[in-house]
């Protein structure tokens, strides 16, 4: 008995240490097992998240591509066709040209003053129709592209939140499809409602820039290019800031036209409808300083492309090469510029010229990528 007690006294420290080591080892083993299990759970969660991300991206690409197809194949061609027809009707130059032709065949039918007035009116309206066509094509294509990107962002937000998009093409969501259709149909506002006021104000700008220019004045390619840009600049800079929005899109009672950057708030408020929210975001983008830069670059680029396509030769019969031609002989070419821009078969090229501008591509990349964390 004493020997066991002595043995315990001599070795109890070793026993405690051994039990401590065994216990610690067991505890470490259990902790390691729990840690390993947790790691596997995290790996499964990450794999599931990656699968969800892939699914979300696939759904987003599908829905966004669907909206893009609608815009490219239906919305934009329809809007440009409407503009083409309305501009041709509102700015029909045939009555003026017919009277001038009649006056040429019947010299006594028009007095010199009447001829001069007809030529001056034809001059102003020719430039007006060309510049209206340039502005309308540029702004309509940009407006629709803004719409597509805003719809795409809303699709991303709804899908990522798992709420089910209110804008997705789903047979169960007629309200969402109706909202999307109503939103895209606002691209017709310019041709249906805004065009008369646009023509009136653009004609006023053309009259001011062309004041003092005579029909016998020689116009070079560069001078014609400069004149068109001056008319556009005067139109854009006249009136209140962003006054041109009134021609392009429906107004809003709650809109103050304030300029907002690309970091504007996406959560406009639950008290307004989805359509009103889309329109408010669109107006905010179009009122931003970034979009103003896009407009300026787009108009300049489009006018340059048009001038290259419409290049003209020096005056025939002149003793030496001339840098241009008299304005009176140039007017028929100017008259052709507007229809060339808007007619089917050529307009797509000019739309692509604008869309391929690096700064324009960057703008829309940032617009689409500017999505809040959900």
């Amino acid at each position: 008995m004493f020997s066991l007690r002595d043995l315990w006294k001599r070795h109890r420290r070793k026993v405690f240490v051994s039990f401590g080591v065994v216990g610690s080892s067991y505890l470490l083993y259990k902790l390691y097992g729990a840690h390993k299990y947790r790691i596997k759970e995290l790996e499964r969660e990450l794999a599931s998240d990656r699968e969800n991300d892939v699914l979300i991206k696939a759904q987003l690409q599908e829905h966004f591509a669907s909206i893009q197809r609608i815009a490219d194949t239906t919305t934009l061609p329809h809007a440009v066709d409407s503009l083409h027809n309305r501009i041709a009707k509102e700015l029909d130059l045939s009555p003026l040209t017919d009277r001038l032709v009649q006056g040429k065949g019947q010299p006594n039918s028009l007095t010199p003053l009447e001829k001069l007035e007809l030529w001056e009116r034809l001059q102003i309206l020719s430039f007006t129709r060309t510049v209206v066509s340039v502005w309308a094509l540029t702004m309509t294509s940009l407006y629709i592209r803004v719409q597509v990107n805003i719809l795409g962002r809303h699709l991303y937000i709804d899908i990522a939140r798992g709420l089910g998009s209110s804008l997705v093409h789903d047979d169960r969501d007629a309200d969402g499809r109706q909202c999307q259709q109503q939103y895209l149909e606002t691209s017709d506002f310019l041709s249906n409602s805004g065009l008369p006021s646009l023509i009136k104000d653009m004609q006023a700008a053309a009259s001011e820039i062309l004041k003092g220019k005579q029909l016998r004045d020689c116009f070079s390619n560069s001078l014609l290019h400069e004149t068109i840009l001056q008319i556009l600049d005067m139109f854009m800079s006249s009136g209140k800031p962003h006054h041109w929005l009134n021609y392009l899109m429906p107004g809003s009672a709650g809109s103050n036209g304030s300029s907002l950057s690309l970091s504007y708030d996406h959560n406009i408020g639950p008290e307004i409808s989805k359509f009103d929210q889309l329109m408010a975001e669109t107006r905010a983008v179009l009122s931003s300083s970034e979009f103003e830069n896009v407009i300026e670059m787009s108009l300049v680029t489009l006018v340059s492309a048009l001038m290259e396509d419409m290049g003209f030769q020096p005056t025939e019969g002149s003793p030496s090469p001339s840098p241009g031609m008299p304005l009176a002989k140039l007017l028929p070419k100017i008259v052709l510029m507007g229809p060339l821009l808007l007619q089917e078969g050529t307009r797509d090229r000019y739309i692509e010229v604008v869309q391929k501008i690096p700064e324009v591509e960057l703008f829309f990349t940032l617009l689409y990528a500017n999505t809040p964390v959900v």
Side-chain angles (χ1 to χ4, degrees):
M1 185 69 181
F2 288 104
S3 60
L4 290 174
R5 183 179 298 173
D6 293 339
L7 183 64
W8 169 252
K9 287 181 180 180
R10 289 196 302 270
H11 297 289
R12 65 180 178 180
R13 179 181 295 275
K14 295 179 181 179
V15 172
F16 287 144
V17 171
S18 298
F19 275 113
V21 170
V22 171
S24 299
S25 299
Y26 179 75
L27 179 61
L28 289 174
Y29 173 77
K30 295 295 288 183
L31 291 174
Y32 173 76
H35 178 67
K36 190 174 182 180
Y37 177 78
R38 178 58 180 162
I39 290 177
K40 289 182 178 180
E41 286 293 312
L42 289 175
E43 289 176 347
R44 281 195 290 267
E45 290 178 6
L46 290 174
S48 177
D49 289 342
R50 284 193 294 268
E51 291 178 0
N52 289 335
D53 288 342
V54 171
L55 179 60
I56 289 174
K57 289 179 180 178
Q59 290 177 329
L60 177 60
Q61 290 174 354
E62 178 184 353
H63 299 314
F64 184 71
S66 175
I67 295 174
Q68 184 72 60
R69 284 193 299 270
I70 292 173
D72 291 342
T73 62
T74 303
T75 308
L76 184 54
H78 173 76
V80 177
D81 281 337
S82 297
L83 284 170
H84 188 192
N85 296 331
R86 286 296 308 279
I87 291 175
K89 181 179 179 181
E90 296 288 336
L91 288 169
D92 183 9
L93 304 181
S94 59
L96 291 176
T97 56
D98 290 345
R99 287 195 65 190
L100 286 170
V101 170
Q102 182 183 5
K104 186 176 182 181
Q106 303 174 7
N108 297 327
S109 62
L110 292 175
T111 66
L113 180 59
E114 289 174 333
K115 287 183 181 180
L116 180 60
E117 290 177 350
L118 286 173
W119 273 106
E120 289 180 348
R121 189 177 175 194
L122 179 62
Q123 169 186 314
I124 293 174
L125 292 181
S126 297
F127 275 93
T128 300
R129 188 164 79 166
T130 293
V131 180
V132 164
S133 299
V134 168
W135 192 89
L137 181 65
T138 301
M139 299 304 294
T140 298
S141 62
L142 292 175
Y143 179 78
I144 292 175
R145 197 168 178 191
V146 168
Q147 287 184 308
V148 170
N149 280 272
I150 288 178
L151 285 175
R153 284 192 293 99
H154 277 269
L155 288 173
Y156 177 87
I157 295 170
D158 289 347
I159 292 174
R161 284 175 174 168
L163 299 178
S165 175
S166 61
L167 300 172
V168 174
H169 292 282
D170 191 327
D171 292 338
R172 297 168 299 177
D173 195 353
D175 291 340
R177 295 197 311 276
Q178 183 179 2
C179 171
Q180 176 181 310
Q181 182 179 357
Q182 182 185 9
Y183 178 55
L184 292 175
E185 285 176 352
T186 61
S187 61
D188 278 335
F189 181 82
L190 176 59
S191 60
N192 292 337
S193 303
L195 192 59
S197 297
L198 170 64
I199 291 174
K200 178 183 177 182
D201 291 345
M202 197 71 79
Q203 183 175 338
S207 299
E208 183 65 26
I209 296 299
L210 294 172
K211 185 184 299 182
K213 289 183 169 58
Q214 305 296 322
L215 292 169
R216 62 177 179 272
D217 291 347
C218 188
F219 262 64
S220 64
N221 199 357
S222 59
L223 180 56
L224 177 59
H225 182 275
E226 179 184 354
T227 301
I228 292 175
L229 291 180
Q230 285 176 341
I231 296 172
L232 286 167
D233 182 65
M234 174 163 285
F235 166 75
M236 293 295 289
S237 60
S238 63
K240 296 180 179 179
H242 311 110
H243 67 95
W244 46 267
L245 280 173
N246 296 325
Y247 316 126
L248 189 62
M249 64 182 296
S252 172
S255 174
N256 57 12
S258 60
S259 176
L260 298 175
S261 70
L262 290 180
S263 60
Y264 60 84
D265 186 6
H266 302 263
N267 300 313
I268 296 192
E271 71 279 359
I272 68 173
S273 69
K274 191 70 171 182
F275 172 78
D276 290 334
Q277 181 181 1
L278 291 171
M279 293 303 295
E281 291 186 18
T282 302
R283 182 172 287 270
V285 172
L286 268 58
S287 301
S288 67
S289 59
E290 295 92 339
F291 190 73
E292 288 183 3
N293 296 332
V294 167
I295 294 173
E296 182 178 354
M297 285 182 289
S298 299
L299 290 173
V300 171
T301 301
L302 183 56
V303 172
S304 298
L306 180 62
M307 295 301 301
E308 291 178 6
D309 292 345
M310 294 295 298
F312 53 89
Q313 300 299 320
T315 305
E316 296 182 4
S318 60
S320 60
S322 170
M325 64 174 62
L327 181 56
K329 291 189 175 182
L330 182 60
L331 283 182
K333 287 182 174 288
I334 299 175
V335 170
L336 294 175
M337 287 183 175
L340 177 67
L341 276 170
L342 299 176
Q343 68 187 11
E344 187 176 359
T346 56
R347 65 194 182 202
D348 290 346
R349 174 185 177 276
Y350 294 107
I351 292 173
E352 185 177 2
V353 164
V354 170
Q355 292 181 347
K356 293 298 183 181
I357 300 172
E359 292 83 357
V360 174
E361 291 184 326
L362 177 60
F363 173 85
F364 286 106
T365 298
L366 294 175
L367 174 62
Y368 181 72
N370 183 39
T371 306
V373 178
V374 294

